[in-house]
């Protein structure tokens, strides 16, 4: 499941639409909309370059432009325990030919975009708010179950390593560092917030462009 909040009036069902103006000074989106069909996580173990896990979340469109079911068959991230990985996030629009790299556009307009990473389960305060069951519609994206089953924490800490050109140099989230602890399993939720002229390094301002999930196994 994908969530889309007030991003585009032409959004179809659950498909994610990404729309931004090429001029960062203008808030209202005016360029053509790109569909965020594919989200790829690419990691490399800093101590062992041969350990390079990848995972992919995808929702394509049919010939009529309607969203197909979410494909989470490749949304599985297997990491080694007590390891550090560099991580890159790649967002693609496969409705275009050739395939369009949406993450490059996000980087160009990084001053009003910010990714958030949430390891689940967690005994700590949520980085990404969730109001279920108070709000029955506030469901986690596939493949993350709602509600989160009780269990031990997923021992994964994510630190964003890239920053925008704001005077405060706020994080972006296309590049990050994953640090694992002891063996555990759970899920990773990734949300992209669209925050034109209100970005302050926190989740609250703006609206959600993207909300996806991955299975995570630390061994």
């Amino acid at each position: 499941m994908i969530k889309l909040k007030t991003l585009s009036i032409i959004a179809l069902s659950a498909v994610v639409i990404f729309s931004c103006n090429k001029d960062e000074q203008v808030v209202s989106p005016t360029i053509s909309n790109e569909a965020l069909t594919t989200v790829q996580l690419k990691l490399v173990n800093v101590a062992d370059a041969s350990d390079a896990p990848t995972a992919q979340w995808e929702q394509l469109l049919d010939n009529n432009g309607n969203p197909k079911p979410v494909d989470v068959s490749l949304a599985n991230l297997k990491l080694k325990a007590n390891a550090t990985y560099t991580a890159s996030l790649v967002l693609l629009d496969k409705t275009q030919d050739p395939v369009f790299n949406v993450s490059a556009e996000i980087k160009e307009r990084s001053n009003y975009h910010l990714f958030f990473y949430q390891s689940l389960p967690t005994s700590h305060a949520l980085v990404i708010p969730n109001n279920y069951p108070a709000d029955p519609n506030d469901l986690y994206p596939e493949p993350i179950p709602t509600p989160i089953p009780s269990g031990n924490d997923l021992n994964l800490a994510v630190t964003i390593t890239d920053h925008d050109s704001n005077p405060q140099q706020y994080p972006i989230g296309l590049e990050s560092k994953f640090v694992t602890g002891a063996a555990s399993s759970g899920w990773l939720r990734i949300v992209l917030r669209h925050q034109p002229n209100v970005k302050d390094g926190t989740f609250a301002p703006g609206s959600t462009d993207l909300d996806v999930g991955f299975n995570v196994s630390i061994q």
Side-chain angles (χ1 to χ4, degrees):
M1 175 182 177
I2 308 173
K3 294 182 183 177
L4 176 64
K5 298 181 181 177
T6 61
L7 180 61
S8 171
I9 60 174
I10 67 170
L12 296 173
S13 183
V15 72
V16 171
I17 302 295
F18 174 71
S19 176
C20 290
N21 194 286
K22 290 187 179 295
D23 183 353
E24 288 201 357
Q25 302 304 314
V26 181
V27 175
S28 300
T30 59
I31 68 170
S32 300
N33 293 282
E34 290 98 26
L36 290 176
T37 62
T38 308
V39 180
Q40 298 174 341
L41 268 175
K42 299 182 178 183
L43 280 69
V44 178
N45 190 324
V46 299
D48 179 7
S50 66
D51 177 22
T54 62
Q56 176 176 286
W57 181 104
E58 187 165 72
Q59 186 176 36
L60 301 176
L61 305 180
D62 63 22
N63 292 334
N64 296 319
N66 298 314
K68 295 181 178 181
V70 175
D71 182 1
V72 294
S73 60
L74 300 178
N76 306 302
L77 200 58
K78 295 183 179 180
L79 306 176
K80 292 183 178 179
N82 303 306
T84 299
Y85 295 82
T86 58
S88 298
L89 193 61
V90 179
L91 282 66
L92 304 174
D93 176 5
K94 290 188 177 181
T95 68
Q96 299 194 39
D97 185 15
V99 173
F100 186 78
N101 187 340
V102 183
S103 45
E105 293 229 342
I106 293 174
K107 186 174 183 179
E108 287 180 7
R109 292 181 293 283
S110 59
N111 282 7
Y112 55 75
H113 287 102
L114 178 53
F115 288 91
F116 290 84
Y117 294 78
Q118 177 71 68
S119 298
L120 297 164
T122 181
S123 56
H124 304 287
L126 292 176
V127 175
I128 302 171
N130 184 265
N131 296 316
Y132 185 92
D135 179 359
N137 295 315
D138 195 9
L139 305 176
Y140 285 106
E142 296 179 54
I144 305 173
T146 305
I148 298 295
S150 60
N152 296 327
D153 287 7
L154 174 65
N155 295 316
L156 172 64
V158 180
T159 303
I160 293 173
T161 56
D162 55 350
H163 297 83
D164 63 26
S165 60
N166 280 305
Q168 301 87 348
Q169 294 187 323
Y170 294 125
I172 306 169
L174 290 169
E175 305 292 333
S176 59
K177 179 175 68 174
F178 283 37
V179 178
T180 64
S184 56
S185 62
W187 303 271
L188 178 65
R189 183 183 188 184
I190 302 176
V191 169
L192 171 60
R193 296 287 286 174
H194 182 79
Q195 302 175 324
N197 301 337
V198 293
K199 183 176 180 180
D200 64 2
T202 68
F203 186 90
S207 59
T208 294
D209 278 358
L210 175 73
D211 191 356
V212 299
F214 296 87
N215 296 308
V216 181
S217 175
I218 300 173
Q219 303 173 347

